[in-house]
């Protein structure tokens, strides 16, 4: 049998374009507690981290109770938007993403996984909305791990799949993703369409379209073993 390889995906800003939905949730949360809504670019630059980590950094002047209220307000708003409008409308795939996921899934020697700052409930709804059941051998969320860039999610994925670090790669759009992967000792592929400027990513490979991903994976961790 060929040696397995592993492709780990971030979700928001990498696989799906959820920025409108995310900023609506930020806006609702801040208005609910009576605080000024942060600038859009500033708020979105924190996407990928766990909510409990985001708000103390985004609004350090607020107290712990306010941070907790912001976190709950965001979750409530996000849930409401998703329930009323659906994942396909508010978190559509980036162009070419579904096609590449299908291509990788068809390879017996390739496993896929997810490491996301989303909650498990959020990931479940997204998976259901896009029909991704069975695509990922491991799904790690903010519910069970410290926030990125801790390598905890990737370490768990490696343990669950049994794939060695030299045959694994992280695909993401933020420095949180890249730093998490480096801390876990795996290669990195940065995408140029996400939340952080590409010059900050310092990825092993940078791609500007999903169609370039399969070759980047082959280059970094090898094709079929």
């Amino acid at each position: 049998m060929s040696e397995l390889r592993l492709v780990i995906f971030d979700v928001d800003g990498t696989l799906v374009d959820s920025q409108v939905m995310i900023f609506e949730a930020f806006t609702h949360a801040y208005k609910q507690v009576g605080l000024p809504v942060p600038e859009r670019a500033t708020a979105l630059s924190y996407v990928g981290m766990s909510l409990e980590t985001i708000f103390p950094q985004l609004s350090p002047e607020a107290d712990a109770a306010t941070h907790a209220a912001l976190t709950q307000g965001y979750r409530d708003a996000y849930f409401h938007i998703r329930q009323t409008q659906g994942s396909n409308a508010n978190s559509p795939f980036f162009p070419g993403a579904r096609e590449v996921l299908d291509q990788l899934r068809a390879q017996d020697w390739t496993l896929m996984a997810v490491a996301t700052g989303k909650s498990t409930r959020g990931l479940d709804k997204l998976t259901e909305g896009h029909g991704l059941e069975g695509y990922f051998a491991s799904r790690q969320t903010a519910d069970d791990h410290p926030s990125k860039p801790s390598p905890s999610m990737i370490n768990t994925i490696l343990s669950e799949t049994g794939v060695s670090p030299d045959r694994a790669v992280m695909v993401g759009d933020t420095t949180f993703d890249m730093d998490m992967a480096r801390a876990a000792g795996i290669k990195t592929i940065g995408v140029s369409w996400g939340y952080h400027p590409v010059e900050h990513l310092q990825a092993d490979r940078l791609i500007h379209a999903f169609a370039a991903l399969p070759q980047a994976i082959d280059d970094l961790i090898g094709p079929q073993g």
Side-chain angles (χ1 to χ4, degrees):
M1 175 181 278
S2 301
E3 183 187 3
L4 291 174
R5 65 181 189 173
L6 173 66
V7 183
I8 305 171
F9 288 96
D10 169 59
V11 177
D12 293 309
T14 300
L15 288 176
V16 299
D17 184 3
S18 48
Q19 63 176 308
V20 171
M21 186 177 182
I22 287 172
F23 190 65
E24 283 184 18
F26 271 121
T27 299
H28 171 85
Y30 274 89
K31 287 184 175 180
Q32 182 175 276
V33 300
L35 290 178
V37 179
E39 291 291 328
R40 181 188 182 95
T42 300
L44 293 179
S45 72
Y46 287 88
V47 173
M49 300 176 72
S50 303
L51 289 176
E52 289 81 3
T53 302
I54 290 175
F55 290 112
Q57 294 191 33
L58 189 54
S59 299
E61 75 285 354
D63 59 21
T66 303
H67 293 152
L70 285 167
T71 299
Q72 190 59 50
Y74 178 98
R75 286 194 173 121
D76 290 344
Y78 199 93
F79 179 77
H80 175 74
I81 296 166
R82 186 179 60 224
Q83 287 292 101
T84 55
Q85 299 182 33
S87 295
N88 288 330
N90 282 285
S91 298
F93 278 124
F94 283 105
R98 182 55 181 259
E99 292 79 4
V100 170
L101 289 177
D102 288 342
Q103 179 182 340
L104 294 174
R105 190 188 188 198
Q107 298 173 351
D108 292 338
W109 61 94
T110 302
L111 297 178
M112 293 187 292
V114 165
T116 177
K118 282 183 171 299
S119 66
T120 300
R121 181 177 72 170
L123 181 59
D124 286 346
K125 290 297 183 182
L126 186 78
T127 298
E128 178 184 347
H130 284 297
L132 293 175
E133 294 88 347
Y135 273 64
F136 302 111
S138 180
R139 305 179 337 135
Q140 304 305 315
T141 72
D143 288 351
D144 302 313
H145 298 276
S147 179
K148 299 176 183 178
S150 164
S152 176
M153 291 191 208
I154 292 180
N155 289 338
T156 298
I157 291 170
L158 293 172
S159 177
E160 287 187 356
T161 60
V163 176
S164 61
D166 65 315
R167 289 283 284 172
V169 64
M170 177 75 204
V171 184
D173 68 300
T174 68
T175 58
F176 313 133
D177 298 318
M178 303 299 105
D179 291 345
M180 173 179 65
R182 282 189 282 267
I186 72 171
K187 297 293 188 180
T188 57
I189 297 173
V191 304
S192 65
W193 51 81
Y195 292 113
H196 284 185
V198 294
E199 61 270 20
H200 294 172
L201 298 181
Q202 299 183 327
D204 294 309
R205 288 289 187 280
L206 180 67
I207 61 171
H208 301 285
F210 254 104
L213 182 58
Q215 186 60 57
I217 295 169
D218 287 351
D219 290 345
L220 286 177
I221 59 174
Q224 184 174 4

